[in-house]
Amino acid sequence: ITLSDTQGNIYQSAIGPTIWNNGAREAQVFYAKNITGGATTVTATLSSSITTSALIYIHEYAGIDQLNPVDGAVGAGGSGASMDSGALTTTFPTDLIFGAGVSDNIITSAGSGYTPRGTLSGNMTEDETVTSSGTYHATATQNGVNWAMQAVAFKAASISTTTTPTPP
């Protein structure tokens, strides 16, 4: 998949694709650094046809490092009610942890400390701004069988304890 938009922003993969649902589905998080913000139309170009469905969530954040925004990323797929991206170790104290979860049914709640953002088609995006470097997990709860969860740590534009990324 490649992404483009009418503002001319350049998208790249932060992680993924994470394969889930016994290899039948994929999840992937993209980002664009130093964006031209505001109203835009995003176009996804796929390398092969889709046999079921495709979903795209778009979030715009302010206060993210414009040159090298990704501090780390991790993803996992599994089954059961508890979803967990796996351990993500950050190196900066004010990272924004962005979590993206997909389920074969409905994600019922965001992980502890996370604010839910997008909930289209039973999936969920969530975020949390941390106050110290360390190890974090993006988690959630779902009522389906199979799931995938990804976490991406984005660095703040100015690394300090008083400047943190602003959620959408």
Side-chain angles (χ1 to χ4, degrees):
I1 184 169
T2 58
L3 299 174
S4 60
D5 70 25
T6 54
Q7 294 281 6
N9 295 308
I10 298 171
Y11 295 85
Q12 52 194 312
S13 178
I15 183 170
T18 297
I19 308 301
W20 68 287
N21 196 21
N22 299 312
R25 296 183 180 173
E26 298 179 7
Q28 191 163 4
V29 173
F30 290 85
Y31 71 97
K33 61 183 178 180
N34 196 20
I35 68 164
T36 300
T40 189
T41 300
V42 177
T43 301
T45 304
L46 305 165
S47 61
S48 60
S49 62
I50 297 173
T51 58
T52 55
S53 64
L55 301 172
I56 297 176
Y57 296 82
I58 305 292
H59 299 289
E60 184 177 315
Y61 290 87
I64 301 293
D65 184 286
Q66 294 180 358
L67 300 176
N68 190 20
V70 176
D71 189 24
V74 66
S79 61
S82 298
M83 305 169 67
D84 189 326
S85 64
L88 171 62
T89 302
T90 65
T91 55
F92 296 95
T94 57
D95 280 359
L96 173 92
I97 310 295
F98 177 81
V102 290
S103 167
D104 61 6
N105 199 353
I106 295 173
I107 298 176
T108 56
S109 64
S112 177
Y114 283 87
T115 300
R117 298 296 177 187
T119 57
L120 180 67
S121 296
N123 300 308
M124 183 178 290
T125 58
E126 60 187 20
D127 60 44
E128 171 185 31
T129 301
V130 299
T131 57
S132 63
S133 58
T135 301
Y136 297 92
H137 294 246
T139 60
T141 304
Q142 60 109 20
N143 63 7
V145 175
N146 298 300
W147 55 265
M149 183 62 110
Q150 298 175 317
V152 180
F154 291 100
K155 297 184 291 189
S158 175
I159 305 302
S160 75
T161 59
T162 59
T163 304
T164 57
T166 306

